[in-house]
């Protein structure tokens, strides 16, 4: 990334963080959509409907990027269609992994058990990087309450030359539940079955009462994030070889 663009974005994020430090999430979202070409990245998971509802109220044609990894629960795919229809979202894009990457590195669909970091790179990180090309900014539903790694989450940050906004950064679980109740929003069916955080089926397990809501993700491994929210990690070159991300 050219240094002047990085410096420009960093200054822009700092100014936005100052201006929207105590602003409602809807205002943060509206300001992000006004920054230029902006995409909302959604997993259509346990809490996703809150941000999607806010976005639909502002602009139902906002591009929503949904990482369809090929490993999701059938319930998530059904819920995605239900939520998009209920909210009137007209531009949900299903982002899939490259067939060539899967052929080369995960022909049996078992890479998640052997090398989950590479699996996430092939099925999430690389497809998202490609899907975000051409966008100036993107929006995520991450929250500070989602574990230590997210405790210091800013509202606006810079990644890959783009502004990345987290309008719900300060929201608690009860804030989200209250919003869903107020607006009578559909719930992901797996939440009631003990899954407060929902990702790919092979890497998501039920969570006991009192456990960290994200403790069911990659349970038994040190891994806590899929990699789409870090500038580091690995990339898969077009020829299929692996390299560290710069
Ligand atoms: S969450 Fe699991 S199955 Fe999904 S991409 Fe990552 S390692 Fe693969």
């Amino acid at each position: 990334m050219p240094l002047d663009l990085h410096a420009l974005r960093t200054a822009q994020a700092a100014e936005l963080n100052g201006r929207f430090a105590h602003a409602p999430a809807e205002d943060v979202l509206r300001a992000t959509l006004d920054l230029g070409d902006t995409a909302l990245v959604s997993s259509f998971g346990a809490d996703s409907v809150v941000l999607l509802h806010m976005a639909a109220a502002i602009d139902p044609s906002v591009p929503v990027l949904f990482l369809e990894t090929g490993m999701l629960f059938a319930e998530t795919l059904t819920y995605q269609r239900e939520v998009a229809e209920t909210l009137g979202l007209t531009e949900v894009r299903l982002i899939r992994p490259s067939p060539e990457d899967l052929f080369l590195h995960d022909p049996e669909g078992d890479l998640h058990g052997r090398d989950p970091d590479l699996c996430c790179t092939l099925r999430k990180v690389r497809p998202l990087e490609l899907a975000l090309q051409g966008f100036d900014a993107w929006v995520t539903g991450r929250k500070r309450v989602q574990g230590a790694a997210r405790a210091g989450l800013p509202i606006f940050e810079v990644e890959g030359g783009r502004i990345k906004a987290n309008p719900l950064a300060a929201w608690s679980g009860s804030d989200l539940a209250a919003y869903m109740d107020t607006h009578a929003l559909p719930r992901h069916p797996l939440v009631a079955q003990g899954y407060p955080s929902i990702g790919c089926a092979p890497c998501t397990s039920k969570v006991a009462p009192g456990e960290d809501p994200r403790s069911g993700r990659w349970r038994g491994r040190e891994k806590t994030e899929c990699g789409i929210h870090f500038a580091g990690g690995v990339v898969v070159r077009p020829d299929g070889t692996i390299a560290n991300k710069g």
Side-chain angles (χ1 to χ4, degrees), residues 2 14-15 41 76 83 87 89 96 155 161 201:
E15 189 276 328
V41 176
T76 298
V83 168
L87 301 182
L89 292 163
R96 294 192 165 95
I155 298 174

Side-chain angles (χ1 to χ4, degrees), residues 111-121 203 218 221 223 226:
L111 187 60
H112 58 84
R114 294 182 283 113
D115 189 341
D117 286 339
L118 180 56
C119 186
C120 281
T121 297
C203 303
W218 302 284
R221 295 183 181 271
K223 184 176 174 64
C226 63

Side-chain angles (χ1 to χ4, degrees), residues 123-134:
R123 294 180 182 276
K124 295 183 175 181
V125 180
R126 181 170 163 80
L128 180 61
E129 283 176 345
L130 294 173
L132 282 173
Q133 286 181 5

Side-chain angles (χ1 to χ4, degrees), residues 115-212:
D115 189 341
D117 286 339
L118 180 56
C119 186
C120 281
T121 297
L122 300 182
R123 294 180 182 276
K124 295 183 175 181
V125 180
R126 181 170 163 80
L128 180 61
E129 283 176 345
L130 294 173
L132 282 173
Q133 286 181 5
F135 285 103
D136 304 304
W138 58 300
V139 182
T140 91
R142 290 177 302 159
K143 293 159 282 287
R144 293 175 191 140
V145 294
Q146 289 174 315
R150 299 185 178 182
L153 187 68
I155 298 174
F156 291 97
E157 52 193 328
V158 180
E159 190 178 288
R162 297 182 190 89
I163 294 285
K164 185 171 167 184
N166 310 298
L168 303 179
W171 281 45
S172 66
S174 54
D175 292 335
L176 294 159
Y179 187 97
M180 286 189 261
D181 285 345
T182 298
H183 298 281
L185 298 177
R187 305 296 220 273
H188 194 302
L190 291 180
V191 173
Q193 296 179 35
Y195 297 87
S197 177
I198 302 159
C200 293
C203 303
T204 304
S205 56
K206 291 187 181 183
V207 169
E211 271 191 304
D212 179 331

